[in-house]
Amino acid sequence: MNRLPRGAAAAMLGLSLALLGTGVASAVPATPASPATEAAERTRVRLELPAPTGAFAVGRDTLHLVDPSRPDPWVPEARARELMVSMYYPARPGGGRTAPYMTKGEAQAFIDDRELTDAVSAATLSGTRTHARPAAAPVRGKFPLVVLSPGFTVNRSTLTLLAEELASQGYVVAAVDHAYESVGTAFPGGRLLTCVACDKIKPGGYGVVPQGRAKDVSFLLDRLLADKRPAWRHARMIDRERIGMAGHSIGGASAATTMAGDARVRAGANMDGSFMEPIPATGLSGRPFMMLGTGDDDRSWVRDWPLLDGWKRWINVTGAEHFTFTDVPVLGDQLGLLPPEEPLKGKRSQEITRAYVTAFFDLHLKGVDRKLLDGPTAAHPEVVFHKEG
């Protein structure tokens, strides 16, 4: 279930790539596009994420946060832990350009890591059309906050479609990149920080990742909710009594670890992530938690299910792969990389992910019960309620 993302991404794209175990240093030169890719680039179709379905337009700001009280766990000489955060929020309608999907350097790092140089160029991937407008004027009011944490080795851009959907439905969303834990994330000063953690984690030692990410998220909340000089200029939009967290892969496992140590996070969702850091024997103080997975047997889910001591759901999606709950299958479909026999296409995967994650936070942060989480529905025959609580 929480297979390392390199191999999982290959499976999701229907490719036979052996991508596990290829650690990277802190700076990687871009691999030139092949002639075939350059030729395809001239006639490429523009990649586009599905439009969000909520009532609000979406704005986006970018934050660079530095925690001088904590050295980076992977690069201690960096002295301070750094985060990059995309803040999505309900905005006033308006035209203008939309936010970039990712930088060209980030796109090239992802392509190189997945050995997709012959399938897509950095210009095409980075130019994927989003639906959030930079620095858009926010709407008035207070809204729940949802923190999103990506899978190991991939950056926060891979959760863009979910972030935009939540913002359109009336949430503030903070999508976080944790320094040195992706194959490529752009930081200020022209830096592309890559996956130093890939080389430093020893077998069986992945529990340190959710532990560190929990500290990252608590620091992020401290900065967003600060009474004086909060890190975000629209921090007044955040309802500090209604905070949730979701993540993909180890980012989903980190949601539980964060909740265990920070009572401000009232609800959590794990999208196909093994609990590398076990849920405490004392539970999560009765707070709700949802697990959304592929249906593979995961021993950590079986182990920790009884420890979830509040409202809980364990939901499997028939035909899903590890990256089903991210942007990957949506973009893979547009590039023709998903095989015809793939049981769950990109369009369907994003519909299910958006519907169930939004319904979860609507129920537990807004008090709106859409009944979607009560059990199987004819509208979503792929969704199986494995266990209920």
Side-chain angles (χ1 to χ4, degrees), residues 18 22 44 46-47 50 90 98 148 166 196 203 220 222 226 234 262 268 276 311 342 353 355 357 389:
T22 55
R44 72 182 187 276
R46 187 180 184 186
L47 298 177
T98 56
L148 296 181
L166 287 169
V196 175
L220 169 64
D222 289 344
H234 301 311
D262 197 324
M276 300 295 186
W311 183 103
E342 187 71 30
T353 301
V357 174

Side-chain angles (χ1 to χ4, degrees), residues 163-185:
E164 292 186 340
E165 176 68 14
L166 287 169
S168 80
Q169 297 286 354
Y171 292 86
V172 172
V173 179
V176 187
D177 255 324
H178 312 266
Y180 301 108
E181 294 179 16
S182 81
V183 296
T185 297

Side-chain angles (χ1 to χ4, degrees), residues 8 28 62 69-70 74 113 119 122 195 214 217 226 256 279 322 331 336 382 386:
V28 180
T62 302
S69 71
R70 188 161 57 104
W74 312 116
D113 184 65
C195 196
V217 173
I279 291 173
H322 185 55
L331 301 180
E382 308 94 334
H386 181 72

